[in-house]
Amino acid sequence: PNWLQKTDDITSSIKFDKGKINFTFTGNVSLFQNLMLTVQAFVKADIPNAIFNIVGDGSALKTLEDYILENNVTNVQLYGRIPSKEVMDILQQSDVLVLPLISNDVINKTEPLKLQSYLSAYKPIFGICSGVGKEIIEENNLGISSNPSDIDDIAKGFIQMLEFKDKYAD
């Protein structure tokens, strides 16, 4: 079982542009998070006035940075690591929380730990995952899910989340 560790949350020094639609990922930036395909799909979705914020650090961050620079991607922002006490403020500034994971037998059977913090923020969740994570999101009407191996399905999911976000806005 996973549990959410309560922290004394503080305001983050990071401030998202409130005039934009903020899709946000927080946490470990590794190959397991499937962020390269997620970023490519976000770019392909070409959503006007939207930005994909990636807050975190990890082994795949340099590869993402290189891709963004080499392809002149302007609608994806990398923020790096922040103190855990600032994460809730980041989640609250977001319009949609993005939960991408590769699909494999082990990951598909595991409840994503990130889901706990995302749930506590009361924001729509875009699951780019299979298995248990997808089931929790869809069965509880928390958002929608896309096939984590299909760039077109992920791009379509980003667009569909706009309608979901508006339907369930505060």
Side-chain angles (χ1 to χ4, degrees), residues 32-130:
F32 291 109
Q33 274 65 45
N34 199 23
L35 282 165
M36 180 59 76
L37 190 62
T38 301
V39 165
Q40 292 168 340
F42 184 76
V43 170
K44 186 172 189 171
D46 194 28
I47 303 169
N49 205 36
I51 191 160
F52 183 23
N53 304 291
I54 299 174
V55 182
D57 196 2
S59 60
L61 186 63
K62 177 72 169 113
T63 305
L64 278 176
E65 288 174 334
D66 292 346
Y67 175 82
I68 289 167
L69 288 172
E70 290 168 9
N71 293 282
N72 196 30
V73 175
T74 58
N75 61 348
V76 176
Q77 179 69 47
L78 303 175
Y79 288 96
R81 182 183 301 264
I82 63 168
S84 61
K85 292 180 178 189
E86 293 182 19
V87 171
M88 186 53 67
D89 184 52
I90 292 296
L91 299 178
Q92 291 298 319
Q93 292 183 56
S94 305
D95 296 298
V96 175
L97 304 177
V98 181
L99 197 161
L101 288 168
I102 64 168
S103 181
N104 73 31
D105 290 340
V106 174
I107 290 175
N108 291 348
K109 294 177 184 175
T110 306
E111 177 186 322
L113 180 59
K114 179 184 312 311
L115 193 54
Q116 297 296 322
S117 62
Y118 280 12
L119 286 171
S120 68
Y122 299 101
K123 299 288 180 168
I125 299 170
F126 178 32
I128 304 168
C129 55
S130 301

Side-chain angles (χ1 to χ4, degrees), residues 146-157:
S146 288
N147 179 333
S149 302
D150 184 340
I151 191 170
D152 293 323
D153 193 46
I154 299 168
K156 183 175 135 188

